[in-house]
Amino acid sequence: MIDVGRQGRGHGAIPGALGMHLATLALFIALAAFHTWPLAAAPGTWCRNDNADAVLNEWTIAWVAHRLASDPLRLFDANIFHPEKRTLAFSEHMLPQSLIAAPVLWAGGSPVLAFNVSLLAGFALTGWAFWFVVRRWTGSWTAGAVAGSLAAFNAHSLTRIAHLQAQHLEFLPLALLAFDRLLQTPRVRHALEMAAWFVLQALTSGYFLLFTAVTMICAAAARFSEWVGKRARAVVPVVLLSTVAAGLALAPFLVPYWRVRSEQGLVRTIAELRLYSAIPTDYLATGSLVHFKAWSQPFFRGDALFPGVIALLLVAVALALGVGFRDRRARMCLLITVVCVCLSFGVHFPPYRWLFEHVPLFQGLRAAIRFGHVALVGIAMLGGFGAARLLSLVTSSRGRATAAVALIVLVNAEAWRGPLGFTKYTGIPRIYKSLAAAPAGSVVACIPMYPRGEAFRNVAYMLGSTLNWVPMLNGYSGFVPASYVKHVEHAGRFPEPAAVDYLRRAGVTPFVVDTRRVRPERLALLKDAKDLRLWTTDGNISIYLLD
């Protein structure tokens, strides 16, 4: 299975190619289970629901799957923060991740199971895609496996398990491969392939839209001599075609974000950016068991960017032996790495402020530090070139096989930070299902409603809403609208008559009251409220209707 030799740098098919691809995919599925253990043992039970962002993402993929099956043209009009429009655009829509999760949801699986399936798929597909590209470019199966392991299971991705958008980078290497093909043979087919992979990666996350654009610009800069001069007439038109095609395909998904930005003033500030810009010691932070307690813990601030000792050694091999400069594909990886490391420092990197002020995509980015994630995958690919060059120096077949196994085992062992900690998912209270029978046009208010700074506590209500999809005043996302703040101000005195009247005017009919979280004096008032009638209760959550 381990192909440590050179295979003509990706020319033509090889015997048993399909079997090799499937076996390699199986390897990365196994590695995804290994790095996230014990998640794969009970994906419908283990979760990260102690993190509000994980629940937000579970709700997101459930909403997208629901809307695609019922009313795809109104995808962005989600059921949170009523009466605001396009509330899905307050955060990531994660369409590709949702498409992976959709069959689970359509078959009756829980949002937690769907999230975990998409999470494991993201790790496995990312590893496989980087293997596929680096193997083609180096001719070495092992080099591809090393690169895929470093790209999928790195310090950053393994510390962001709750963020489903961070685990899906499988389309980025394929976009680079299509660009490489386009430069070699400028054809419309290659241009459309590049556009398709770019679009798919851009749809996984707004961050990855910007990161992929920067990556492709770096790739073009590294290969400048191949599309200027005499070749410009052949190459530039198809590159422009690819750019236009990608723009047209993304437009329906970008317009809602543009409208939200205009209507809600959703623009990040320099002050926010300063909080989420990298500092040099972030590149020493890792959750790896090998490194964390030994020396890395003091550098850990949340986003970990340490590439790994073996990755750095392999990059050093690629640079020291010249392949990092001579090979045109390796040069792309090198420039991508250098540029993304610089950009990860955000406001600490002087040109970044100019980019923030003049390039709209940069204005939607809060965490510049996450450019470091792309730097890590650039290092992964460059490390793959180093691994291929290193293995070529080993003369015996047995030595190459031993070295190959050692490299793959070591890069995964160094990255491992398991077994990971999860919480147990016990299901959504079935009382939320009863709201599916509410009359058309109903709007729900879940009590208590939390102030802006605690809006993350609304995620329990959002997860419950996946059983009914009735619009609600509550919500949590990357942005909290002013209308929600106003609702909280009035609903805070529920069930006093003035609060009930305000909520009635806001269109609310059913009230979902979590009696475990309401102060006793408020519960006493609720029992005597004349305008409210108890519809159903499970002992913890009660649903009231307006008389």
Side-chain angles (χ1 to χ4, degrees):
M1 177 62 190
I2 298 180
D3 176 13
V4 299
R6 313 282 292 181
Q7 295 182 342
R9 299 183 68 77
H11 294 295
I14 63 172
L18 178 59
M20 178 179 64
H21 291 176
L22 292 175
T24 306
L25 179 58
L27 169 66
F28 280 105
I29 292 172
L31 287 173
F34 169 73
H35 283 285
T36 59
W37 192 260
L39 185 63
T45 300
W46 296 123
C47 67
R48 280 293 181 86
N49 284 16
D50 53 339
N51 185 311
D53 287 348
V55 186
L56 168 63
N57 289 340
E58 291 164 8
W59 168 85
T60 298
I61 60 175
W63 169 261
V64 172
H66 161 73
R67 210 54 155 178
L68 289 177
S70 59
D71 191 359
L73 294 181
R74 297 180 61 233
L75 176 67
F76 283 89
D77 289 329
N79 73 316
I80 58 174
F81 293 130
H82 179 83
E84 302 294 342
K85 302 295 184 183
R86 294 171 286 278
T87 53
L88 184 62
F90 290 177
S91 190
E92 310 277 15
H93 58 76
M94 297 189 295
L95 180 62
Q97 296 94 319
S98 300
L99 290 173
I100 292 171
V104 175
L105 293 159
W106 293 337
S110 70
V112 165
L113 176 60
F115 176 97
N116 288 336
V117 167
S118 189
L119 177 74
L120 292 168
F123 278 120
L125 291 173
T126 296
W128 182 88
F130 277 90
W131 163 81
F132 177 78
V133 172
V134 173
R135 188 197 70 86
R136 286 186 65 89
W137 284 353
T138 65
S140 169
W141 185 94
T142 303
V146 168
S149 296
L150 292 172
F153 312 112
N154 57 59
H156 187 82
S157 62
L158 289 174
T159 51
R160 291 189 62 204
I161 300 295
H163 300 124
L164 185 57
Q165 58 270 48
Q167 319 308 333
H168 282 263
L169 262 175
E170 60 265 37
F171 307 113
L172 178 61
L174 299 174
L176 289 171
L177 178 62
F179 178 66
D180 178 64
R181 288 172 170 169
L182 184 149
L183 289 181
Q184 293 180 74
T185 311
R187 292 178 179 171
V188 169
R189 176 168 63 88
H190 294 152
L192 296 179
E193 286 177 1
M194 185 171 75
W197 295 127
F198 179 93
V199 167
L200 286 169
Q201 189 60 67
L203 291 175
T204 63
S205 166
Y207 278 83
F208 285 156
L209 166 60
L210 175 59
F211 295 168
T212 307
V214 170
T215 296
M216 301 308 291
I217 292 170
C218 291
R223 307 277 290 270
F224 183 74
S225 62
E226 298 177 55
W227 56 271
V228 297
K230 294 180 180 179
R231 300 201 74 223
R233 181 174 297 180
V235 176
V236 171
V238 290
V239 170
L240 291 176
L241 171 64
S242 181
T243 304
V244 171
L248 291 174
L250 287 173
F253 300 93
L254 295 178
V255 167
Y257 287 93
W258 176 80
R259 294 188 67 178
V260 163
R261 175 185 171 182
S262 300
E263 295 165 356
Q264 303 283 355
L266 207 171
V267 178
R268 303 302 182 184
T269 66
I270 287 291
E272 283 182 288
L273 189 61
R274 185 173 290 107
L275 289 174
Y276 299 99
S277 294
I279 58 177
T281 52
D282 289 322
Y283 282 91
L284 297 175
T286 175
S288 162
L289 290 186
V290 175
H291 302 298
F292 184 70
K293 289 186 178 179
W295 61 269
S296 180
Q297 187 172 2
F299 306 115
F300 196 94
R301 299 191 306 151
D303 285 285
L305 296 175
F306 181 60
V309 173
I310 298 170
L312 292 174
L313 290 174
L314 292 174
V315 169
V317 168
L319 297 178
L321 298 182
V323 66
F325 304 102
R326 291 195 305 268
D327 189 293
R328 59 188 183 275
R329 292 141 174 174
R331 280 200 308 274
M332 291 196 305
C333 302
L334 178 59
L335 187 58
I336 289 166
T337 301
V338 171
V339 169
C340 288
V341 166
C342 292
L343 291 175
S344 72
F345 291 107
V347 294
H348 308 307
F349 177 57
Y352 197 100
R353 184 182 290 268
W354 184 92
L355 291 169
F356 180 83
E357 293 172 350
H358 295 89
V359 181
L361 283 177
F362 277 83
Q363 295 169 10
L365 189 74
R366 180 175 64 170
I369 190 173
R370 291 177 185 166
F371 269 106
H373 190 184
V374 184
L376 291 184
V377 300
I379 288 171
M381 298 182 81
L382 197 56
F385 282 93
R389 187 70 181 91
L390 188 64
L391 290 168
S392 72
L393 300 177
V394 182
T395 56
S396 70
S397 298
R398 178 173 294 183
R400 284 196 300 273
T402 301
V405 171
L407 278 174
I408 295 168
V409 170
L410 288 173
V411 296
N412 283 283
E414 184 184 4
W416 195 59
R417 60 182 303 260
L420 299 182
F422 293 98
T423 59
K424 191 172 183 179
Y425 172 69
T426 56
I428 301 170
R430 300 307 298 176
I431 192 170
Y432 283 101
K433 183 70 175 178
S434 62
L435 288 171
S442 296
V443 177
V444 170
C446 297
I447 307 297
M449 292 185 72
Y450 299 102
R452 182 196 295 269
E454 298 180 29
F456 63 88
R457 299 176 69 180
N458 285 320
V459 293
Y461 306 141
M462 293 167 62
L463 195 60
S465 79
T466 64
L467 295 182
N468 56 70
W469 295 124
V470 177
M472 61 169 60
L473 298 188
N474 309 71
Y476 168 67
S477 193
F479 173 77
V480 176
S483 60
Y484 174 77
V485 177
K486 183 179 179 181
H487 295 327
V488 172
E489 290 175 357
H490 289 83
R493 301 193 64 81
F494 179 88
E496 293 180 8
V500 173
D501 287 343
Y502 171 83
L503 293 171
R504 188 199 304 268
R505 293 193 300 273
V508 174
T509 42
F511 293 83
V512 176
V513 181
D514 188 335
T515 55
R516 298 164 297 181
R517 301 181 181 183
V518 176
R519 295 197 304 271
E521 62 271 22
R522 292 288 162 188
L523 289 178
L525 291 174
L526 186 58
K527 292 178 181 178
D528 298 329
K530 297 180 180 180
D531 293 337
L532 297 172
R533 172 172 52 87
L534 180 64
W535 180 27
T536 184
T537 183
D538 65 1
N540 293 318
I541 298 172
S542 300
I543 300 179
Y544 289 83
L545 300 179
L546 282 169
D547 280 335

